[in-house]
Amino acid sequence: MIRVLLVEKARLVRGAFAALLSREEDIEVVAEAEGNGEVLARAQLCRPDVAVIDVDSKEGEEFAARGELGARLPDCRMLLLMASTTPDRLRRILDLHAPGVISTNAPADRLVHGVRKLVRGQRFIDPEFALVALDAGENPLTPRDVEILRLTADGTPTREIAERLSLSVATVRNHLSAITRKTGGRNRIDAIRIARESGWV
């Protein structure tokens, strides 16, 4: 029997996932949790084989990122749930070394299939997200580029960006010129559009 822990803040959604998984003869939902304050205690008590964790909420993503569950229960495999993603966010999620990532919009049987694959020691990446990863170009922007581009996209004037980041106005302008060149944009507005569509900001 595959023992599953469900971590989902929304009670209705969590109940739907629990009902779906419990229909399978070889899967048992042994515990449910709303957030990170109770996850570790529940997991240590019930010793699940798979923890299905919704990382769309900030606390869910932070909990997965800390890696405490894997450190305390190395035999428990994480299957991370996301409604949607950008290439950049998908890279961050995959960098967590989670064995499984699945879309909450996936067909019901895909969740079941993912749980079973993890228990067999295999990795499971939702085909929808695999396509996002394949289509994504490498992010050419530095962390500082991204910071400046986000502020620019919010309408922050160049001088204010320079003050906030303790840079000279000339340095900010140089970054913006470099960003436009790196993204292949015609101007700053085009660079913002390209960066957003590519999931770089």
Side-chain angles (χ1 to χ4, degrees):
M1 185 67 76
I2 301 170
R3 299 168 60 79
V4 172
L5 164 66
L6 276 176
V7 183
E8 163 60 57
K9 192 168 186 176
R11 186 177 300 175
L12 188 62
V13 176
R14 193 171 69 245
F17 284 139
L20 167 69
L21 291 170
S22 297
R23 287 204 310 255
E24 304 298 317
E25 293 182 358
D26 60 336
I27 297 176
E28 179 186 5
V29 177
V30 292
E32 299 177 26
E34 286 187 10
N36 43 6
E38 56 184 322
V39 175
L40 288 174
R42 294 276 180 95
Q44 289 179 300
L45 188 65
C46 68
R47 317 294 291 188
D49 300 304
V50 178
V52 178
I53 303 173
D54 184 348
V55 294
D56 275 338
S57 68
K58 183 180 177 184
E59 64 177 13
E61 186 165 355
E62 286 177 352
F63 174 76
R66 286 200 303 271
E68 293 175 72
L69 187 61
R72 297 195 193 187
L73 297 171
D75 293 333
C76 178
R77 312 270 286 167
M78 280 197 302
L79 179 57
L80 305 183
L81 290 163
M82 293 186 291
S84 61
T85 192
T86 63
D88 198 48
R89 186 179 184 222
L90 184 58
R91 284 191 205 99
R92 292 200 311 273
I93 292 293
L94 293 176
D95 284 345
L96 302 178
H97 304 295
V101 182
I102 188 169
S103 169
T104 51
N105 298 314
D109 60 343
R110 195 176 294 167
L111 174 61
V112 174
H113 178 63
V115 167
R116 288 178 178 144
K117 280 196 79 168
L118 296 191
V119 169
R120 292 197 297 267
Q122 300 172 310
R123 201 164 192 203
F124 179 77
I125 307 296
D126 192 309
E128 177 184 323
F129 293 154
L131 287 173
V132 171
L134 287 172
D135 290 343
E138 193 65 31
N139 187 349
L141 305 179
T142 65
R144 179 63 89 188
D145 288 339
V146 170
E147 199 171 17
I148 289 171
L149 192 60
R150 281 181 176 149
L151 288 169
T152 302
D154 289 340
T156 309
T158 303
R159 186 168 297 281
E160 187 177 333
I161 293 173
E163 290 172 1
R164 281 199 205 181
L165 303 181
S166 301
L167 300 170
S168 70
V169 172
T171 299
V172 173
R173 286 183 178 144
N174 287 341
H175 270 285
L176 288 169
S177 295
I179 289 165
T180 303
R181 186 180 68 255
K182 289 176 184 179
T183 59
R186 295 185 302 276
N187 49 45
R188 292 179 190 180
I189 302 301
D190 201 31
I192 291 167
R193 177 189 62 77
I194 292 167
R196 281 177 169 165
E197 289 177 356
S198 300
W200 298 333
V201 294

